Amino acid sequence: GCTIAVRSKDTIKLGDEKDLVLCTTERSRTWAIQTPQCFRKDILLDAHHRFREEPGITDDCMLLEKMGEKVRLVEGRYSNIKVTTPEDLSLAEALLEKERR
């Protein structure tokens, strides 16, 4: 499988259940995952079937990771944002307007 991703610009920390820092990740190895994510259909369907009751799965890449499959990171663009909040929508509209010029 493969997914579009951008290298993290931020320092990423892992926290515990009390929001205390456990450790700091190595930024040079940290990526922000984007869409699209591409996989062989049979493998992806098998992964969804196997882990359908598993809590905490956040994307299809994670399913393949749990199966021991490799997922390639393909460098994307920072302008390829996820739109999940009203602020994201405003940013997406601004980016689209800039592209139109």
Side-chain angles (χ1 to χ4, degrees):
C2 66
T3 185
I4 305 298
V6 291
R7 294 180 185 276
S8 179
K9 297 179 186 180
D10 300 319
T11 296
I12 305 296
K13 306 228 180 250
L14 297 179
D16 67 10
E17 63 282 345
K18 295 180 182 177
D19 296 333
L20 296 173
V21 173
L22 291 172
C23 67
T24 303
T25 64
E26 187 179 329
R27 186 185 304 178
S28 65
R29 298 180 61 188
T30 305
W31 295 73
I33 303 307
Q34 301 177 311
T35 54
Q37 297 179 2
C38 302
F39 309 99
R40 281 189 30 201
K41 181 180 177 181
D42 59 327
I43 294 173
L44 182 60
L45 290 175
D46 183 34
H48 273 278
H49 178 73
R50 281 193 204 187
F51 299 106
R52 69 179 172 269
E53 303 295 327
E54 184 99 13
I57 302 291
T58 58
D59 71 353
D60 289 339
C61 290
M62 210 170 160
L63 289 169
L64 268 71
E65 292 169 47
K66 291 184 88 46
M67 289 182 60
E69 297 287 338
K70 293 184 179 178
V71 178
R72 168 106 29 221
L73 298 165
V74 178
E75 192 127 16
R77 297 184 334 180
Y78 291 100
S79 61
N80 180 15
I81 64 167
K82 291 181 182 178
V83 179
T84 55
T85 67
E87 296 83 9
D88 296 336
L89 185 56
S90 296
L91 178 57
E93 288 169 344
L95 289 168
L96 283 172
E97 185 61 34
K98 183 179 177 187
E99 288 287 321
R100 288 185 193 130
R101 292 183 201 159

